[in-house]
Amino acid sequence: MSSAVQHIAILGATGSIGQSSLDVIKNFPDRFRVTYLTANKNIDLLQRQINEFKPKGVVVGDERNASVIRRFVNGSVEVLSGEEGLEEIVTRDDVDTVISSLVGFAGLKPTISAIRHRKQVALANKETLVAAGELITGLVKEYGVRLIPIDSEHSAILQCLLGEDPLRIAKLILTASGGPFLHTPREAFSSITVEQALAHPNWNMGKKITVDSATLMNKGLEVIEAHWLFGLPANRIDVVIHPQSVIHSMVEFVDGSIKAQLGLPDMKIPIQYALTYPDRSPMNGARVSFPKLQSMTFFEPDKEKFPCLPLAYHALALGGTAPAALNAANETAVSAFLERKISFDRIPEILEGALNHHRVRPSPEIQHIIEADEQARAFTRTLV
Ligand code: MG
């Protein structure tokens, strides 16, 4: 282990993962130093983060907010804006690790830029791997960088695989809480409100991912993410509903042994693990109490009630640009639901329409992925 300070850029610092990352970082002032923070619009929180963490530079969504921040820092911090700003700061010499926690497709280009500049990437932005898994994993190999998942399921699998021969894996078992509508009858899905969809039983997360958890699309995206991270085909990646969210995922090996990673549902655990990997560091806080927990339950996901999950498997089977199109359609449909333009049960319908409409291009380059993303968004808007 090197004792050098790890310099960290956080993309999406004011989001849920960004804030939890800063909570982790501030416990280890000798080990981690935040050099860059980025925020889209939440500049009040960004200003507080600048005061507390004293980064060298920040990036905000647009020039208007950039001028507000420039006045605030009065020359003491570099201020950039937009997509170019994001792609620029991840190339800097005073960045060792990039925490990629932007929401959605916006995370793709800066993540690619970070990999090309040989930065370690701690990835919370699952849409990047969903849309461009083949491209990203190819670049990771080419540039010899480490891509460590922050998503709790993939962090669990990574932990289960330590010391194991990848050839001895039988299958991956992703756990899903089932979201707030696990026991809601299908007939009631059309009247689900935004507030109900945003009330997740176990995890406290951003809006987009919380709606994805309610439709089970989040689990579908995670199946695709797992495929690219761990190199297993879709038929060896299972999903099981586990409402207590204590087992974060499991790996079954060829001898029938199963390893699981457990813990309370707190994103600070996988974030800290990604930053200290393969080492561990102490963390204060509550612990799992088995007597208090008493039981853990498991059952099959209901694919009729949650068609987003089989749609994700279908997109993965189609390959090429299909997952990028599905992801773009999903981002558009979820936004429309949050803006109360469509009902909850129309999300999977719209995704299916968009996926059927998409013409798949195999082994896509970045420009094909961007094209697929734009076309799927435009088509989805016509369905909305
Ligand atoms: Mg997850």
Side-chain angles (χ1 to χ4, degrees):
M1 281 301 298
S2 101
S3 59
V5 174
Q6 196 179 148
H7 294 91
I8 299 173
I10 304 180
L11 310 185
T14 55
S16 172
I17 295 288
Q19 294 182 56
S20 295
S21 299
L22 288 169
D23 285 343
V24 166
I25 287 167
K26 72 179 163 203
N27 289 331
F28 300 93
D30 305 337
R31 199 153 171 194
F32 306 129
R33 159 109 169 82
V34 174
T35 43
Y36 297 92
L37 293 172
T38 87
N40 187 18
K41 290 191 185 112
N42 191 350
I43 54 172
D44 292 342
L45 179 55
L46 181 64
Q47 287 176 347
R48 293 201 294 279
Q49 292 177 342
I50 290 171
N51 282 338
E52 184 174 358
F53 293 93
K54 315 233 170 338
K56 292 186 178 178
V58 298
V59 183
V60 291
D62 57 35
E63 263 307 300
R64 200 177 61 82
N65 282 331
S67 16
V68 177
I69 295 287
R70 278 190 199 107
R71 270 192 306 266
F72 173 75
V73 298
N74 197 18
S76 63
V77 174
E78 183 185 5
V79 183
L80 302 171
S81 71
E83 209 176 57
E84 311 76 47
L86 294 174
E87 284 181 63
E88 158 66 26
I89 54 127
V90 299
T91 70
R92 299 287 175 83
D93 288 340
D94 48 7
V95 174
D96 304 310
T97 298
V98 174
I99 297 180
S100 177
S101 54
L102 296 169
V103 179
F105 191 72
L108 178 62
K109 282 188 182 170
T111 304
I112 289 176
S113 179
I115 295 168
R116 289 209 161 112
H117 288 83
R118 300 199 153 81
K119 309 301 182 186
Q120 167 165 282
V121 176
L123 189 72
N125 173 248
K126 69 189 67 174
E127 292 90 345
T128 287
L129 272 182
V130 169
E134 193 176 347
L135 185 86
I136 294 282
T137 46
L139 287 173
V140 163
K141 238 186 223 152
E142 184 183 341
Y143 289 91
V145 301
R146 203 139 83 171
L147 178 80
I148 308 163
I150 284 181
D151 214 345
S152 60
E153 292 77 3
H154 307 81
S155 176
I157 291 168
L158 183 69
Q159 295 179 55
C160 293
L161 288 177
L162 273 189
E164 300 288 350
D165 179 347
L167 295 174
R168 301 291 179 256
I169 303 170
K171 63 180 178 184
L172 309 179
I173 305 165
L174 300 184
T175 53
S177 71
F181 309 123
L182 185 57
H183 304 295
T184 307
R186 203 182 175 192
E187 309 80 68
F189 271 36
S190 59
S191 55
I192 285 171
T193 65
V194 170
E195 290 70 26
Q196 288 168 330
L198 290 180
H200 194 277
N202 303 346
W203 291 96
N204 186 4
M205 307 176 289
K207 280 185 186 176
K208 196 260 175 182
I209 185 173
T210 304
V211 175
D212 284 346
S213 296
T215 60
L216 285 203
M217 180 43 102
N218 184 53
K219 210 51 52 182
L221 298 177
E222 288 178 355
V223 167
I224 301 174
E225 190 185 2
H227 165 73
W228 291 113
L229 282 170
F230 304 109
L232 265 80
N235 62 6
R236 286 164 61 199
I237 306 174
D238 286 359
V239 172
V240 66
I241 304 289
H242 163 47
Q244 295 81 15
S245 295
V246 169
I247 296 181
H248 297 307
S249 277
M250 302 179 258
V251 179
E252 183 183 311
F253 295 93
V254 289
D255 60 356
S257 265
I258 295 173
K259 282 165 89 173
Q261 186 263 340
L262 288 74
L264 289 178
D266 180 347
M267 286 309 294
K268 289 203 286 295
I269 299 173
I271 291 168
Q272 179 171 302
Y273 187 72
L275 294 178
T276 60
Y277 173 87
D279 193 11
R280 289 183 193 276
S281 290
M283 185 183 293
N284 294 326
R287 296 288 192 260
V288 172
S289 156
F290 288 103
K292 225 193 233 169
L293 184 64
Q294 291 195 343
S295 65
M296 293 193 280
T297 50
F298 305 93
F299 43 96
E300 282 278 330
D302 183 338
K303 291 176 184 151
E304 309 258 293
K305 230 166 88 171
F306 299 103
C308 286
L309 183 60
L311 273 175
Y313 275 97
H314 180 52
L316 184 54
L318 290 172
T321 48
L326 180 71
N327 176 65
N330 184 53
E331 286 187 31
T332 312
V334 169
S335 296
F337 170 69
L338 287 170
E339 290 161 20
R340 300 171 205 269
K341 288 180 185 156
I342 58 166
S343 60
F344 184 80
D345 60 334
R346 286 215 55 221
I347 298 174
E349 261 175 51
I350 287 173
L351 299 194
E352 189 174 8
L355 196 55
N356 288 339
H357 181 260
H358 179 67
R359 278 189 50 211
V360 179
R361 187 176 176 122
S363 299
E365 297 289 332
I366 179 76
Q367 66 270 22
H368 306 128
I369 293 164
I370 293 170
E371 242 172 62
D373 176 89
E374 282 168 358
Q375 286 171 1
R377 273 170 214 272
F379 182 73
T380 307
R381 279 193 288 269
T382 67
L383 300 181
V384 165

